[in-house]
Amino acid sequence: MLNNQPIVFLHGWGVDDSVWGEFIQQYYFDRDVSSIKLFQPGLIDSAQEDIDLEAVCSMIQKQITRPALIVAWSLGGHIAIKLASLFPEKV
């Protein structure tokens, strides 16, 4: 099952999804892989201090079409944990 699972990368605070680019190209070129840009209108405003994790997770889960392996760090890790608690069928 693990080999067929899509992999979703969630970046940390102060960077964007391009931080995963080289890593994805080197190690996951043959997998269904995506990275979600967290700082964008409607998801997280980069100047926002209080983040509604439930709202962010609700938007992210719509982009995950089948159970996925989540790779995350920093802020992305907080979101991944919340995502797993709210939408266990997605991870």
Side-chain angles (χ1 to χ4, degrees):
M1 169 96 177
L2 201 58
N3 287 336
N4 295 328
Q5 266 186 298
I7 302 172
V8 176
F9 288 84
L10 300 175
H11 62 81
W13 194 267
V15 295
D16 66 17
D17 60 328
S18 67
V19 73
W20 299 110
E22 188 175 322
F23 182 78
I24 289 170
Q25 289 175 7
Q26 231 175 7
Y27 297 103
Y28 296 105
F29 58 87
D30 62 342
R31 297 286 299 270
D32 178 9
V33 175
S34 62
S35 59
I36 297 175
K37 185 175 183 176
L38 297 175
F39 300 110
Q40 59 178 307
L43 202 53
I44 300 174
D45 180 345
S46 61
Q48 193 174 344
E49 288 186 22
D50 295 325
I51 297 171
D52 183 348
L53 286 181
E54 287 189 20
V56 170
C57 289
S58 180
M59 288 184 265
I60 288 174
Q61 67 88 22
K62 293 175 186 173
Q63 299 178 47
I64 301 173
T65 57
R66 58 193 176 106
L69 175 66
I70 309 295
V71 178
W73 115 73
S74 186
L75 174 62
H78 290 284
I79 293 170
I81 291 167
K82 190 67 169 182
L83 184 68
S85 72
L86 294 172
F87 304 99
E89 72 281 1
K90 296 286 185 160
V91 299

